[in-house]
Amino acid sequence: MPKNEGAVIPAWSGRRAADALAQVKAKGRTDRTPCCICGHRIDYDLPGTHPQGCTVQHLRSRRRFPELTWLPSNWAPAHKECNESDGDGTRGEDEGVTSSDW
């Protein structure tokens, strides 16, 4: 588990991560939110294992900002293939991207 100033941050896995994905998918489906990385439409009915399926993108990277891992305002919908190709997840950090931007 990542540590931040003495606090233990739970790993991104299990039921908690599944619930986070369900929350992101529900909001994205309702708002018709495109992928926060490429800007293209997401088919929210595809499983998260499909390359075009929805995954949770952390707007501020988990590696650099572990304390934001479980903060819903740090989550945005992204295609699985976009999320995996985003590298360390620092895209947009210098531009001040926030969840209100999606």
Side-chain angles (χ1 to χ4, degrees):
M1 289 186 182
K3 293 187 182 219
N4 186 47
E5 298 179 23
V8 175
I9 309 298
W12 185 262
S13 64
R15 172 61 114 188
R16 222 171 150 185
D19 289 348
L21 175 59
Q23 183 178 338
V24 166
K25 284 178 93 168
K27 182 174 177 6
R29 184 179 287 116
T30 298
D31 297 345
R32 300 180 59 159
T33 307
C35 175
C36 69
I37 297 171
C38 74
H40 292 112
R41 184 181 77 79
I42 296 175
D43 181 345
Y44 289 97
D45 294 324
L46 291 173
T49 55
H50 188 282
Q52 292 293 305
C54 181
T55 62
V56 177
Q57 169 71 13
H58 290 83
L59 299 170
R60 300 277 190 228
S61 75
R62 290 185 291 143
R63 184 172 47 98
R64 291 183 57 200
F65 302 94
E67 70 277 9
L68 302 179
T69 296
W70 294 104
L71 188 65
S73 62
N74 190 43
W75 304 338
H79 295 115
K80 179 181 190 295
E81 65 186 356
C82 293
N83 197 338
E84 289 176 350
S85 68
D86 192 40
D88 65 1
T90 58
R91 182 198 65 79
E93 287 182 359
D94 294 331
E95 294 87 29
V97 175
T98 66
S99 65
S100 63
D101 295 325
W102 67 272

